């Protein structure tokens, strides 16, 4: 027989020792000056990041603006290149009218002056060294009188503005 069944419930409960009052631990109060210093440092860091971001934005937009201007200038010059080609052909033709010839030469000189003012360089003359970044070789000829990779004939002159090629020169390359 189980003896615990006959014992009243009040006696079966274990006597628990009384809980000792917990020692009150004081949490240190944050120093308001230190909090303000941390906030100030965070705001200063945010300010520096924002200033650097703005400076980068300003430099990037300045570069884009200059690039856009150069591209627009190169496109505009490119539109006038057929006129240059026609003036070259007109100058190459023989004519008995000296006034006509003088007028075409003056027009070509004016065109050259404008191109020089825009820093546009005309290139691609016979005898120059062939450079595939500036020249477009459309023909090849074996000629012992010319050196290797030398331009033998120019079909269309090339134009560049600084390092930017506006139009490649179409040439015949020797050897």
């Amino acid at each position: 027989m189980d003896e615990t069944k006959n014992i009243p419930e009040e006696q079966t409960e274990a006597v628990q020792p009384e809980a000792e009052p917990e020692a009150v631990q004081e949490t240190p109060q944050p120093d308001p000056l230190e909090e303000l210093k941390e906030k100030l440092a965070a705001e200063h860091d945010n300010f520096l990041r924002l200033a650097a971001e703005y400076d980068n934005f300003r430099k990037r937009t300045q570069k884009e603006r200059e690039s856009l201007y150069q591209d627009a200038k190169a496109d505009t010059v490119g539109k006038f290149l057929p006129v240059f080609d026609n003036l070259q052909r007109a100058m190459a033709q023989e004519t008995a009218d000296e006034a006509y010839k003088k007028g075409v030469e003056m027009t070509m000189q004016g065109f050259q002056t404008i191109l020089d003012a825009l820093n546009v360089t005309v290139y691609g003359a016979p005898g120059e060294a062939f450079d595939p970044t500036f020249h477009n070789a459309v023909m090849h000829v074996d000629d012992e009188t010319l050196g290797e990779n030398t331009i033998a004939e120019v079909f269309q002159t090339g134009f560049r503005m600084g390092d930017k090629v506006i139009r490649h020169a179409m040439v015949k390359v020797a050897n």
Side-chain angles (χ1 to χ4, degrees):
M1 212 168 156
D2 195 6
E3 293 180 10
T4 57
K5 288 187 179 181
N6 294 340
I7 302 176
E9 284 183 32
E10 297 168 354
Q11 293 178 354
T12 58
E13 290 182 14
V15 178
Q16 293 188 7
E18 288 185 30
E20 293 182 27
E22 292 183 21
V24 178
Q25 295 179 356
E26 289 187 29
T27 56
Q29 294 292 331
D31 185 17
L33 183 60
E34 289 300 317
E35 284 181 6
L36 289 175
K37 284 182 181 179
E38 288 175 10
K39 285 183 181 178
L40 179 63
E43 289 298 320
H44 183 69
D45 185 52
N46 285 342
F47 171 74
L48 290 177
R49 289 178 190 272
L50 183 63
E53 199 173 303
Y54 174 72
D55 192 44
N56 290 338
F57 169 76
R58 185 180 53 77
K59 288 177 183 176
R60 185 177 63 247
T61 55
Q62 179 68 22
K63 251 187 228 176
E64 288 174 357
R65 189 178 314 125
E66 288 172 7
S67 173
L68 185 64
Y69 175 72
Q70 292 299 326
D71 290 345
K73 192 164 75 167
D75 288 344
T76 303
V77 169
K79 301 287 185 199
F80 284 102
L81 295 183
V83 175
F84 182 88
D85 295 336
N86 289 336
L87 286 172
Q88 270 189 331
R89 285 187 209 99
M91 287 178 55
Q93 294 298 318
E94 291 296 323
T95 181
D97 190 359
E98 286 299 317
Y100 174 77
K101 184 175 182 178
K102 180 78 173 167
V104 171
E105 288 173 356
M106 288 175 58
T107 305
M108 185 61 142
Q109 287 173 352
F111 201 100
Q112 279 291 81
T113 304
I114 292 170
L115 291 177
D116 290 341
L118 294 172
N119 295 324
V120 175
T121 307
V122 180
Y123 67 93
E128 286 183 8
F130 174 75
D131 185 355
T133 56
F134 299 117
H135 302 101
N136 184 12
V138 294
M139 291 180 74
H140 182 270
V141 66
D142 288 326
D143 189 350
E144 299 302 323
T145 61
L146 296 172
E148 190 169 329
N149 285 336
T150 303
I151 297 174
E153 187 177 346
V154 178
F155 300 114
Q156 191 176 47
T157 55
F159 294 86
R160 68 177 176 208
M161 191 169 18
D163 292 336
K164 182 177 178 66
V165 175
I166 298 172
R167 181 175 80 184
H168 291 84
M170 284 198 305
V171 296
K172 180 193 297 185
V173 181
N175 304 327

